[in-house]
Amino acid sequence: MTQQTIVTAAILAIGDELLSGRTKDKNIGHLAELLTLSGIDLKEVRIVPDDEEEIVAALNALRARYDYVFTSGGIGPTHDDITADAVSKAFGVPCIYEEEAMTLLAAMYERRGMEFTAARQRMARMPEGARHIPNPVSTAPGFTIGNVYVMAGVPQVFQAMVDAVLPTLKSGARVLSRSVTSPYGEGDIGGPLGEVQKRHPETSIGSYPKFDGKFFSTELVVRARDEAVLAAAEADVVAMIETIKAAKVTP
Amino acid sequence: MTQQTIVTAAILAIGDELLSGRTKDKNIGHLAELLTLSGIDLKEVRIVPDDEEEIVAALNALRARYDYVFTSGGIGPTHDDITADAVSKAFGVPCIYEEEAMTLLAAMYERRGMEFTAARQRMARMPEGARHIPNPVSTAPGFTIGNVYVMAGVPQVFQAMVDAVLPTLKSGARVLSRSVTSPYGEGDIGGPLGEVQKRHPETSIGSYPKFDGKFFSTELVVRARDEAVLAAAEADVVAMIETIKAAKVTP
């Protein structure tokens, strides 16, 4: 059996509009799913306002603790786009107008016959020493420094940046998962399911209640990093449901 | 002018399924919107796994810092539902089978001709001294202790619990907001908008880029707690857009 590496990550979503409810976040769920597919364990998510002190504190807490931190939002050209400043401060380096980004943006605006305003130049700012994350949608790059990946908040741009970043990450052992649908609610299966979990300590068995407006059913998701371990736990879950079924039809 | 109170809040969403991307959270955006309407400032959101230590640490950090903390998830009948235990631990009180909740649940299962299993009895567990949050959807109550409100993860139940809780909270001065659509992207308006923000320090002006696949436009949201302050800033934003328009048509 090969050595199984655990790689951990956190997401830091930045923006007053997420906290006011005005914008419903689409980036967290998207990246969460892709990280799982990549074998990277997303361990924590935070959403903070456009406030330098808050961003710095959250970023420093998360980057010290997890292998990777992905941020979304606050890298546009307006006064409330302060992510580049905050990340620079967190790393203790100056926030500079990065040369290559200035060149890219200047060329793009020239092609489009648009003025490269002071506001647009803000999008070339990043911590000294950061590397670009390409933006095929609207040119203005994201950036990476240390174990932090800074990406746009607009979902189309965020997703394009994620696609560029993911193949460059070290990936963990992929978590395998299998879903078993239970026609019974959690109240029926909770006890026996706890026993199944105890018998299979190397798995993580999640139980997700569904409510159709009248009845609860449950989707059981068995996860493991090893196929044999997974199959054994899955079989045990299926057997548990059959046992409950038999008990219900027998008087 | 009346004294304007600031009331702050945080959301702590609990669940492995949110971090794996398997479930896309619907509760954060919903509650965020209702808090804004209620004049309560949502300042931070965290998502943590079904892990007692993580829940306790996040809850203690948030409840010390904000007026209210709202949690979602982890109060069902299965082995991975550990929110009641974690909240009890955070408050340093025993986690008990609460009498009134036991009575409610026992009666409901009896009416439905279902067994009140050990798993279902788990749903009556809460920290000693907690009060119920009623659950009109599926009976099993949420609970509140100190400044923490513990609610279900299933969106229909979460929303019903929020509806029960909101009218009981002290509410802040409601934040008024006005939206101005700018046909120009952030690169055009970023500079002048920063000046507008500086001239109206009692407002918070957000800028939300929209991308239709080809062009960026911007929605500008002006927020203030006072109508006159809001109106002055809004007029300034509208004038700013007119100035940009005039500059574009004049050669």
Side-chain angles (χ1 to χ4, degrees), chain A residues 44-222:
Chain A
E44 184 171 350
V45 175
R46 296 195 193 183
I47 307 177
V48 296
D50 298 311
D51 178 302
E52 187 172 279
E53 212 175 303
E54 296 296 328
I55 300 169
V56 170
L59 189 64
N60 280 338
L62 297 173
R63 74 190 180 96
R65 190 158 181 210
Y66 305 107
D67 292 320
Y68 296 117
V69 180
F70 304 96
T71 80
S72 72
I75 61 167
T78 62
H79 62 93
D80 58 353
D81 288 307
I82 58 170
T83 301
D85 300 271
V87 175
S88 302
K89 198 164 182 181
F91 278 87
V93 299
C95 188
I96 59 164
Y97 287 84
E98 200 266 344
E99 204 174 330
E100 191 189 338
M102 286 293 278
T103 307
L104 268 176
L105 286 165
M108 183 266 287
Y109 287 113
E110 178 155 6
R111 272 198 310 280
R112 293 170 61 185
M114 293 164 76
E115 197 189 338
F116 189 27
T117 58
R120 289 184 176 125
Q121 290 176 29
R122 277 179 66 81
M123 295 188 285
R125 295 173 79 243
M126 56 184 76
E128 198 168 64
R131 284 168 295 119
H132 286 204
I133 298 173
N135 171 356
V137 177
S138 52
T139 306
F143 59 84
T144 171
I145 177 169
N147 60 343
V148 175
Y149 293 78
V150 176
M151 299 180 284
V154 176
Q156 294 92 331
V157 182
F158 179 83
Q159 290 171 20
M161 288 181 174
V162 165
D163 289 341
V165 163
L166 281 183
T168 70
L169 306 176
K170 65 182 169 184
S171 114
R174 189 181 149 186
V175 176
L176 307 170
S177 77
R178 215 92 94 219
S179 201
V180 179
T181 302
S182 155
Y184 308 112
E186 291 196 318
D188 277 309
I189 61 168
L193 189 67
E195 295 304 313
V196 173
Q197 173 71 82
K198 271 184 211 154
R199 285 199 295 275
H200 300 273
E202 283 174 69
T203 67
S204 154
I205 307 180
S207 160
Y208 307 113
K210 290 191 174 170
F211 183 63
D212 67 3
K214 203 162 172 198
F215 295 106
F216 280 93
S217 61
T218 319
E219 184 120 22
L220 303 171
V221 180
V222 188

Side-chain angles (χ1 to χ4, degrees), chain B residues 24-39:
Chain B
K24 302 289 181 288
D25 172 80
K26 290 186 183 119
N27 296 331
I28 295 169
H30 175 81
L31 180 53
E33 217 171 284
L34 292 181
L35 289 173
T36 299
L37 283 173
S38 306

Side-chain angles (χ1 to χ4, degrees), chain B residues 146-196:
Chain B
N147 59 344
V148 175
Y149 294 77
V150 175
M151 300 180 285
V154 176
Q156 294 93 331
V157 183
F158 179 83
Q159 290 171 19
M161 289 182 174
V162 165
D163 289 342
V165 163
L166 280 183
T168 70
L169 305 176
K170 66 182 169 182
S171 112
R174 189 180 148 186
V175 176
L176 307 170
S177 76
R178 216 92 94 220
S179 202
V180 180
T181 302
S182 155
Y184 308 112
E186 291 196 316
D188 277 309
I189 61 168
L193 189 67
E195 295 305 313
V196 173

